[in-house]
PDB file of all heavy atoms in Angstrom:
ATOM      1  N   ALA I 142       5.124 -46.337   5.457  1.00 88.00           N
ATOM      2  CA  ALA I 142       5.463 -47.651   6.012  1.00 88.00           C
ATOM      3  C   ALA I 142       4.408 -48.119   7.013  1.00 88.00           C
ATOM      4  O   ALA I 142       4.025 -49.307   7.036  1.00 88.00           O
ATOM      5  CB  ALA I 142       6.833 -47.587   6.674  1.00 88.00           C
ATOM      6  N   MET I 143       3.913 -47.197   7.844  1.00 85.00           N
ATOM      7  CA  MET I 143       2.923 -47.582   8.847  1.00 85.00           C
ATOM      8  C   MET I 143       1.573 -47.917   8.215  1.00 85.00           C
ATOM      9  O   MET I 143       0.857 -48.802   8.679  1.00 85.00           O
ATOM     10  CB  MET I 143       2.751 -46.447   9.861  1.00 85.00           C
ATOM     11  CG  MET I 143       3.964 -46.228  10.748  1.00 85.00           C
ATOM     12  SD  MET I 143       3.702 -44.913  11.957  1.00 85.00           S
ATOM     13  CE  MET I 143       2.407 -45.621  12.957  1.00 85.00           C
ATOM     14  N   VAL I 144       1.222 -47.203   7.153  1.00 88.00           N
ATOM     15  CA  VAL I 144      -0.079 -47.424   6.524  1.00 88.00           C
ATOM     16  C   VAL I 144      -0.071 -48.682   5.657  1.00 88.00           C
ATOM     17  O   VAL I 144      -1.077 -49.397   5.566  1.00 88.00           O
ATOM     18  CB  VAL I 144      -0.471 -46.193   5.675  1.00 88.00           C
ATOM     19  CG1 VAL I 144      -1.681 -46.478   4.804  1.00 88.00           C
ATOM     20  CG2 VAL I 144      -0.743 -45.000   6.585  1.00 88.00           C
ATOM     21  N   SER I 145       1.072 -48.977   5.013  1.00 90.00           N
ATOM     22  CA  SER I 145       1.118 -50.029   4.000  1.00 90.00           C
ATOM     23  C   SER I 145       1.473 -51.406   4.550  1.00 90.00           C
ATOM     24  O   SER I 145       1.388 -52.383   3.810  1.00 90.00           O
ATOM     25  CB  SER I 145       2.104 -49.647   2.899  1.00 90.00           C
ATOM     26  OG  SER I 145       3.410 -49.525   3.452  1.00 90.00           O
ATOM     27  N   THR I 146       1.849 -51.507   5.819  1.00 85.00           N
ATOM     28  CA  THR I 146       2.203 -52.827   6.358  1.00 85.00           C
ATOM     29  C   THR I 146       1.311 -53.165   7.537  1.00 85.00           C
ATOM     30  O   THR I 146       0.918 -52.288   8.319  1.00 85.00           O
ATOM     31  CB  THR I 146       3.682 -52.874   6.796  1.00 85.00           C
ATOM     32  OG1 THR I 146       3.977 -54.166   7.309  1.00 85.00           O
ATOM     33  CG2 THR I 146       3.975 -51.849   7.882  1.00 85.00           C
ATOM     34  N   LYS I 147       0.985 -54.468   7.671  1.00 82.00           N
ATOM     35  CA  LYS I 147       0.163 -54.925   8.783  1.00 82.00           C
ATOM     36  C   LYS I 147       1.018 -55.422   9.942  1.00 82.00           C
ATOM     37  O   LYS I 147       0.489 -55.744  11.007  1.00 82.00           O
ATOM     38  CB  LYS I 147      -0.763 -56.049   8.300  1.00 82.00           C
ATOM     39  CG  LYS I 147      -1.779 -55.595   7.252  1.00 82.00           C
ATOM     40  CD  LYS I 147      -2.665 -56.738   6.824  1.00 82.00           C
ATOM     41  CE  LYS I 147      -3.685 -56.277   5.767  1.00 82.00           C
ATOM     42  NZ  LYS I 147      -4.559 -57.387   5.324  1.00 82.00           N
ATOM     43  N   LEU I 148       2.319 -55.509   9.716  1.00 79.00           N
ATOM     44  CA  LEU I 148       3.212 -56.011  10.753  1.00 79.00           C
ATOM     45  C   LEU I 148       3.470 -54.941  11.797  1.00 79.00           C
ATOM     46  O   LEU I 148       3.503 -53.752  11.499  1.00 79.00           O
ATOM     47  CB  LEU I 148       4.531 -56.475  10.143  1.00 79.00           C
ATOM     48  CG  LEU I 148       4.414 -57.591   9.078  1.00 79.00           C
ATOM     49  CD1 LEU I 148       5.781 -57.882   8.481  1.00 79.00           C
ATOM     50  CD2 LEU I 148       3.819 -58.845   9.689  1.00 79.00           C
ATOM     51  N   THR I 149       3.660 -55.351  13.023  1.00 76.00           N
ATOM     52  CA  THR I 149       3.966 -54.438  14.123  1.00 76.00           C
ATOM     53  C   THR I 149       5.256 -54.875  14.793  1.00 76.00           C
ATOM     54  O   THR I 149       5.412 -56.043  15.161  1.00 76.00           O
ATOM     55  CB  THR I 149       2.831 -54.433  15.170  1.00 76.00           C
ATOM     56  OG1 THR I 149       1.621 -54.056  14.530  1.00 76.00           O
ATOM     57  CG2 THR I 149       3.151 -53.457  16.299  1.00 76.00           C
ATOM     58  N   ASN I 150       6.190 -53.940  14.933  1.00 75.00           N
ATOM     59  CA  ASN I 150       7.457 -54.235  15.596  1.00 75.00           C
ATOM     60  C   ASN I 150       7.277 -54.029  17.094  1.00 75.00           C
ATOM     61  O   ASN I 150       7.065 -52.903  17.560  1.00 75.00           O
ATOM     62  CB  ASN I 150       8.553 -53.308  15.051  1.00 75.00           C
ATOM     63  CG  ASN I 150       9.940 -53.703  15.543  1.00 75.00           C
ATOM     64  OD1 ASN I 150      10.079 -54.314  16.602  1.00 75.00           O
ATOM     65  ND2 ASN I 150      10.964 -53.358  14.756  1.00 75.00           N
ATOM     66  N   LYS I 151       7.349 -55.097  17.850  1.00 75.00           N
ATOM     67  CA  LYS I 151       7.081 -54.996  19.288  1.00 75.00           C
ATOM     68  C   LYS I 151       8.147 -54.195  20.027  1.00 75.00           C
ATOM     69  O   LYS I 151       7.906 -53.710  21.127  1.00 75.00           O
ATOM     70  CB  LYS I 151       6.976 -56.391  19.892  1.00 75.00           C
ATOM     71  CG  LYS I 151       8.279 -57.190  19.864  1.00 75.00           C
ATOM     72  CD  LYS I 151       8.098 -58.547  20.520  1.00 75.00           C
ATOM     73  CE  LYS I 151       9.413 -59.349  20.525  1.00 75.00           C
ATOM     74  NZ  LYS I 151       9.255 -60.654  21.182  1.00 75.00           N
ATOM     75  N   TYR I 152       9.344 -54.047  19.402  1.00 73.00           N
ATOM     76  CA  TYR I 152      10.432 -53.321  20.079  1.00 73.00           C
ATOM     77  C   TYR I 152      10.242 -51.800  20.045  1.00 73.00           C
ATOM     78  O   TYR I 152      10.919 -51.082  20.777  1.00 73.00           O
ATOM     79  CB  TYR I 152      11.778 -53.682  19.454  1.00 73.00           C
ATOM     80  CG  TYR I 152      12.156 -55.128  19.685  1.00 73.00           C
ATOM     81  CD1 TYR I 152      12.125 -56.039  18.643  1.00 73.00           C
ATOM     82  CD2 TYR I 152      12.519 -55.577  20.963  1.00 73.00           C
ATOM     83  CE1 TYR I 152      12.453 -57.369  18.847  1.00 73.00           C
ATOM     84  CE2 TYR I 152      12.841 -56.911  21.175  1.00 73.00           C
ATOM     85  CZ  TYR I 152      12.812 -57.803  20.115  1.00 73.00           C
ATOM     86  OH  TYR I 152      13.130 -59.125  20.342  1.00 73.00           O
ATOM     87  N   ILE I 153       9.351 -51.295  19.176  1.00 72.00           N
ATOM     88  CA  ILE I 153       9.132 -49.841  19.158  1.00 72.00           C
ATOM     89  C   ILE I 153       7.833 -49.435  19.849  1.00 72.00           C
ATOM     90  O   ILE I 153       7.492 -48.266  19.896  1.00 72.00           O
ATOM     91  CB  ILE I 153       9.130 -49.286  17.705  1.00 72.00           C
ATOM     92  CG1 ILE I 153       7.931 -49.817  16.931  1.00 72.00           C
ATOM     93  CG2 ILE I 153      10.435 -49.596  17.001  1.00 72.00           C
ATOM     94  CD1 ILE I 153       7.773 -49.154  15.572  1.00 72.00           C
ATOM     95  N   LEU I 154       7.092 -50.424  20.370  1.00 73.00           N
ATOM     96  CA  LEU I 154       5.877 -50.088  21.094  1.00 73.00           C
ATOM     97  C   LEU I 154       6.189 -49.429  22.431  1.00 73.00           C
ATOM     98  O   LEU I 154       5.468 -48.560  22.899  1.00 73.00           O
ATOM     99  CB  LEU I 154       5.022 -51.343  21.321  1.00 73.00           C
ATOM    100  CG  LEU I 154       4.416 -51.968  20.052  1.00 73.00           C
ATOM    101  CD1 LEU I 154       3.655 -53.237  20.400  1.00 73.00           C
ATOM    102  CD2 LEU I 154       3.474 -50.969  19.387  1.00 73.00           C
ATOM    103  N   ASP I 155       7.263 -49.851  23.065  1.00 77.00           N
ATOM    104  CA  ASP I 155       7.679 -49.275  24.351  1.00 77.00           C
ATOM    105  C   ASP I 155       9.198 -49.292  24.410  1.00 77.00           C
ATOM    106  O   ASP I 155       9.805 -50.220  24.945  1.00 77.00           O
ATOM    107  CB  ASP I 155       7.076 -50.076  25.504  1.00 77.00           C
ATOM    108  CG  ASP I 155       7.399 -49.446  26.860  1.00 77.00           C
ATOM    109  OD1 ASP I 155       7.734 -48.246  26.867  1.00 77.00           O
ATOM    110  OD2 ASP I 155       7.303 -50.152  27.887  1.00 77.00           O
ATOM    111  N   SER I 156       9.810 -48.226  23.829  1.00 78.00           N
ATOM    112  CA  SER I 156      11.268 -48.205  23.709  1.00 78.00           C
ATOM    113  C   SER I 156      11.813 -46.864  24.175  1.00 78.00           C
ATOM    114  O   SER I 156      11.513 -45.828  23.582  1.00 78.00           O
ATOM    115  CB  SER I 156      11.684 -48.462  22.256  1.00 78.00           C
ATOM    116  OG  SER I 156      13.074 -48.289  22.113  1.00 78.00           O
ATOM    117  N   GLN I 157      12.588 -46.886  25.260  1.00 84.00           N
ATOM    118  CA  GLN I 157      13.195 -45.657  25.747  1.00 84.00           C
ATOM    119  C   GLN I 157      14.238 -45.120  24.773  1.00 84.00           C
ATOM    120  O   GLN I 157      14.416 -43.903  24.644  1.00 84.00           O
ATOM    121  CB  GLN I 157      13.837 -45.896  27.113  1.00 84.00           C
ATOM    122  CG  GLN I 157      12.822 -46.099  28.226  1.00 84.00           C
ATOM    123  CD  GLN I 157      13.467 -46.201  29.591  1.00 84.00           C
ATOM    124  OE1 GLN I 157      14.671 -46.438  29.686  1.00 84.00           O
ATOM    125  NE2 GLN I 157      12.676 -46.016  30.640  1.00 84.00           N
ATOM    126  N   GLU I 158      14.939 -46.035  24.080  1.00 84.00           N
ATOM    127  CA  GLU I 158      15.987 -45.599  23.148  1.00 84.00           C
ATOM    128  C   GLU I 158      15.395 -44.727  22.028  1.00 84.00           C
ATOM    129  O   GLU I 158      15.947 -43.671  21.683  1.00 84.00           O
ATOM    130  CB  GLU I 158      16.710 -46.809  22.539  1.00 84.00           C
ATOM    131  CG  GLU I 158      17.587 -47.578  23.504  1.00 84.00           C
ATOM    132  CD  GLU I 158      16.786 -48.526  24.392  1.00 84.00           C
ATOM    133  OE1 GLU I 158      15.559 -48.646  24.171  1.00 84.00           O
ATOM    134  OE2 GLU I 158      17.377 -49.116  25.308  1.00 84.00           O
ATOM    135  N   ILE I 159      14.258 -45.161  21.470  1.00 84.00           N
ATOM    136  CA  ILE I 159      13.640 -44.390  20.394  1.00 84.00           C
ATOM    137  C   ILE I 159      13.144 -43.048  20.925  1.00 84.00           C
ATOM    138  O   ILE I 159      13.262 -42.013  20.253  1.00 84.00           O
ATOM    139  CB  ILE I 159      12.494 -45.196  19.764  1.00 84.00           C
ATOM    140  CG1 ILE I 159      13.064 -46.337  18.919  1.00 84.00           C
ATOM    141  CG2 ILE I 159      11.616 -44.295  18.893  1.00 84.00           C
ATOM    142  CD1 ILE I 159      12.023 -47.164  18.224  1.00 84.00           C
ATOM    143  N   GLU I 160      12.594 -43.041  22.133  1.00 87.00           N
ATOM    144  CA  GLU I 160      12.132 -41.788  22.715  1.00 87.00           C
ATOM    145  C   GLU I 160      13.289 -40.815  22.905  1.00 87.00           C
ATOM    146  O   GLU I 160      13.135 -39.594  22.693  1.00 87.00           O
ATOM    147  CB  GLU I 160      11.432 -42.052  24.051  1.00 87.00           C
ATOM    148  CG  GLU I 160      10.084 -42.746  23.891  1.00 87.00           C
ATOM    149  CD  GLU I 160       9.370 -42.925  25.219  1.00 87.00           C
ATOM    150  OE1 GLU I 160       9.891 -42.421  26.233  1.00 87.00           O
ATOM    151  OE2 GLU I 160       8.312 -43.575  25.241  1.00 87.00           O
ATOM    152  N   ILE I 161      14.439 -41.329  23.307  1.00 90.00           N
ATOM    153  CA  ILE I 161      15.625 -40.471  23.460  1.00 90.00           C
ATOM    154  C   ILE I 161      16.040 -39.904  22.114  1.00 90.00           C
ATOM    155  O   ILE I 161      16.319 -38.700  21.970  1.00 90.00           O
ATOM    156  CB  ILE I 161      16.786 -41.269  24.101  1.00 90.00           C
ATOM    157  CG1 ILE I 161      16.456 -41.602  25.552  1.00 90.00           C
ATOM    158  CG2 ILE I 161      18.092 -40.472  24.024  1.00 90.00           C
ATOM    159  CD1 ILE I 161      17.447 -42.543  26.208  1.00 90.00           C
ATOM    160  N   VAL I 162      16.028 -40.763  21.081  1.00 89.00           N
ATOM    161  CA  VAL I 162      16.454 -40.321  19.749  1.00 89.00           C
ATOM    162  C   VAL I 162      15.524 -39.238  19.225  1.00 89.00           C
ATOM    163  O   VAL I 162      15.960 -38.190  18.734  1.00 89.00           O
ATOM    164  CB  VAL I 162      16.495 -41.516  18.770  1.00 89.00           C
ATOM    165  CG1 VAL I 162      16.657 -41.024  17.335  1.00 89.00           C
ATOM    166  CG2 VAL I 162      17.639 -42.449  19.144  1.00 89.00           C
TER     167      VAL I 162
END
Side-chain angles (χ1 to χ4, degrees):
M143 291 182 65
V144 169
S145 62
T146 180
K147 296 180 180 179
L148 301 176
T149 302
N150 189 334
K151 66 178 181 179
Y152 294 108
I153 66 172
L154 293 177
D155 184 20
S156 173
Q157 289 186 343
E158 290 80 5
I159 287 182
E160 289 183 5
I161 291 172
V162 169

